[in-house]
Amino acid sequence: MSSTETKTTWLVTGAARGMGTEIAHAALRAGHQVVATGRTPKSVRDALGGHENLFVHELDVTDHQSAERAVQASIDRFARIDVLVNNAGNFYAGFFEELSPEQVRAQIETNLFGPMIVTRVVLPVMRAQRSGLLIAISSSAGLIGLPFCTAYSAAKFGVEGFMESLAPEIAPFDIRTMLVEPGSFRTELLQPESTSYAKASIDDYGDRTDETIAAWQGRNGQQPGDPAKFARALVQLVDSDQPPQRWVAGADIVIAAEQKAHTLLEQIDAHRELSSSLAHDIGHGTAVENN
C-alpha cells in the first residue's frame, strides 16, 4: 500500500488508547500520514503527542454524521484515505442471560455497526481513488466462542462475516480487506474504561460470575502480547506487496485457531455421508402428463 516515495494516509478509529494508539504511532514512524480519531480529541492528542503527519479529529463510530465529518476533514487535510483501521470498540462481559438487552445492543452497535458505518462513509473515497485497504480489528472471540463473551463474540463474528462478504464486492475497484484477529494483548480492554460487566441477577450463575470476573480482573496487565510489536507488525504487513486477507496475531490465538480448524473438520467428517445425501432424488417430483 506504500512506497518510499509516496506517503499513504491512514484513518485509525479508537486512537486514544490501546491498540489504536500503538497503530497510529507505528504508522507515523513508518512515514505515513495518520488521521487519529476518537470520541474525545483531547484524549487522542494526549496519547499521541504532536507530529507533522498527524491529524486528530473527533469520531463517534456509532454516528453516521460524525463519520462523515471526520472523513471529509481527512480529505480536506490529506486529500485521500489509503488505509482505514476500524479499531474502536468496547467490551460487555457476562453470561447471556445476565446481560441486559440494552447491553447486548450497545455491544453490537459499537463493535459491528460502528465499523459498518465508518466503512460505508470511506468506501466512496476509495472507489474514486480505485485503491484502498479496509482493516477490521476483530478478535480471537471472532473465531472462537467463549463463555462470558456472548455479546462480544456475536459482534466480532458479525465483523468477520461482514468483511469476508464485502471483499469480493469491492475487489473490482482495487480495494482490499484485511481481518485482524489478535489474541491476548496487554491493552486497556479489561480496564473499567473499556469493560462493563453484567450485573449478577441469576443465582444459578452467581459463583461462576464472581469467579470469572475475579479471574479476568487478575489477568489485566498480565496478557502476554505486546501491543507495540503488534502495531509494528501490522504496518509491516500493510506495507508489503500483498497484505493478507486474514492475520491471526499472537502465539495463543495461532494455537487456538488451529484447534478450531481441526474441530470444524472433525465435525464435518462426523456426518459427511448424511450431509451429502440430502439432494433431490433423480426423477423425483410431480409427473406431468401430456394429452
Side-chain angles (χ1 to χ4, degrees):
M1 296 300 299
S2 71
S3 72
T4 57
E5 299 177 355
T6 305
K7 293 178 180 178
T8 61
T9 300
W10 292 48
L11 193 160
V12 182
T13 70
R17 60 179 185 267
M19 292 291 198
T21 298
E22 295 296 344
I23 292 168
H25 273 311
L28 288 168
R29 292 190 189 104
H32 301 301
Q33 299 168 152
V34 174
V35 180
T37 69
R39 291 190 176 190
T40 309
K42 181 181 184 302
S43 298
V44 179
R45 293 189 188 96
D46 290 345
L48 293 174
H51 195 288
E52 63 180 354
N53 289 331
L54 173 66
F55 176 56
V56 174
H57 200 278
E58 179 182 2
L59 173 55
D60 176 354
V61 300
T62 66
D63 183 334
H64 187 90
Q65 291 184 336
S66 177
E68 287 183 329
R69 289 192 296 270
V71 169
Q72 185 58 56
S74 303
I75 298 302
D76 292 343
R77 178 63 182 269
F78 293 129
R80 59 188 296 116
I81 298 173
D82 299 288
V83 180
L84 168 64
V85 183
N86 275 311
N87 165 76
N90 54 16
F91 188 20
Y92 286 88
F95 294 115
F96 175 68
E97 283 191 275
E98 292 191 319
L99 285 165
S100 70
E102 291 76 20
Q103 287 176 316
V104 173
R105 287 183 180 276
Q107 180 75 97
I108 293 174
E109 191 74 34
T110 297
N111 288 17
L112 175 56
F113 289 142
M116 286 181 165
I117 287 171
V118 179
T119 298
R120 184 183 296 278
V121 178
V122 168
L123 271 175
V125 176
M126 290 185 171
R127 278 195 294 104
Q129 297 168 176
R130 285 301 193 262
S131 67
L133 176 62
L134 302 172
I135 300 174
I137 306 299
S138 179
S139 168
S140 56
L143 284 176
I144 302 161
L146 298 171
F148 228 63
C149 295
T150 43
Y152 187 72
S153 281
K156 292 298 187 179
F157 267 73
V159 167
E160 299 264 337
F162 166 55
M163 291 292 282
E164 282 192 14
S165 300
L166 181 64
E169 293 183 1
I170 59 179
F173 313 119
D174 289 330
I175 305 170
R176 290 177 285 181
T177 65
M178 183 176 176
L179 272 165
V180 180
E181 291 128 352
S184 183
F185 281 82
R186 201 168 298 177
T187 67
E188 292 89 344
L189 182 62
L190 294 180
Q191 292 184 0
E193 295 84 358
S194 297
T195 298
S196 300
Y197 291 101
K199 182 179 179 181
S201 58
I202 300 174
D203 290 343
D204 283 345
Y205 294 113
D207 292 341
R208 292 168 63 199
T209 296
D210 294 341
E211 291 168 2
T212 304
I213 292 175
W216 283 16
Q217 290 175 337
R219 196 182 308 160
N220 183 36
Q222 304 301 316
Q223 299 97 323
D226 182 337
K229 288 184 178 180
F230 166 88
R232 290 195 296 270
L234 177 63
V235 173
Q236 177 183 335
L237 289 173
V238 172
D239 285 348
S240 67
D241 291 336
Q242 290 293 329
Q245 197 164 356
R246 171 176 272 106
W247 179 39
V248 177
D252 54 344
I253 184 56
V254 167
I255 294 170
E258 288 178 335
Q259 183 56 56
K260 174 67 177 281
H262 289 309
T263 300
L264 284 172
L265 290 173
E266 290 170 0
Q267 291 172 336
I268 292 168
D269 284 338
H271 302 286
R272 181 180 295 274
E273 184 176 349
L274 179 62
S275 299
S276 303
S277 67
L278 305 178
H280 282 291
D281 294 332
I282 296 175
H284 177 75
T286 302
V288 178
E289 294 184 3
N290 294 319
N291 292 326

